[in-house]
Amino acid sequence: MFAQIISHTPIWVWALLAFLVYRGILASADREVTLKKISIIPLVMLALSWQGITATFGLTPLTVGCWLATAGIAAALNWQLFRKDRIVAYPERGVLFQRGSWLPLALMMGIFVTKYAVAVLLAIQPPLAHSAMFAAAVCALYGVFNGMFIGRLLRIVALYRNAQPAGDVYHGQLNG
């Protein structure tokens, strides 16, 4: 059965997995990035989750509510727990230095595995698509993963916007 599942998986799914693993490995290393680049993966993951929700269950009060509730809680927690020392903003250069982390890879794999597992489960048990409990659980799981990405991204954007150009920081320290 496992071989049959793998053999019926479209090639583009494996290409997407390879891309996500590649981006996750990149995120594990310290690097300088722009806000635009740091926004790509959270937005792609948001799109994948919402596509999965709408295609499988539709936009209903249950699906949207479960996603919003868990995304909001996860975003707030990630905002609060985000270590500010992981980011140094250089607004005068339009970049920020980000310490490497394996968390983005874990979150991407969480969304990918959820989406893949849901597709497999629905292929085996199509009536699950009409189960409120299944829909709530899947949407909540997507919400947790997306909320963590969103909270992290919003925190980084806030740190970047509140950063002072290096020249001003050094000038203030010399005269203060």
Side-chain angles (χ1 to χ4, degrees), residues 162-176:
N162 291 331
Q164 296 180 19
D168 292 341
V169 171
Y170 297 127
H171 180 70
Q173 287 176 350
L174 292 174
N175 292 333

Side-chain angles (χ1 to χ4, degrees), residues 100-141:
S101 172
W102 290 102
L103 182 62
L105 178 61
L107 294 174
M108 288 185 281
M109 291 303 98
I111 291 173
F112 180 87
V113 168
T114 299
K115 195 164 171 54
Y116 191 82
V118 167
V120 169
L121 284 170
L122 290 174
I124 295 168
Q125 292 289 326
L128 283 175
H130 305 291
S131 166
M133 290 293 274
F134 184 70
V138 170
C139 293
L141 198 52

Side-chain angles (χ1 to χ4, degrees), residues 53-54 58 116 159:
I53 291 169
T54 57
Y116 191 82
L159 290 170

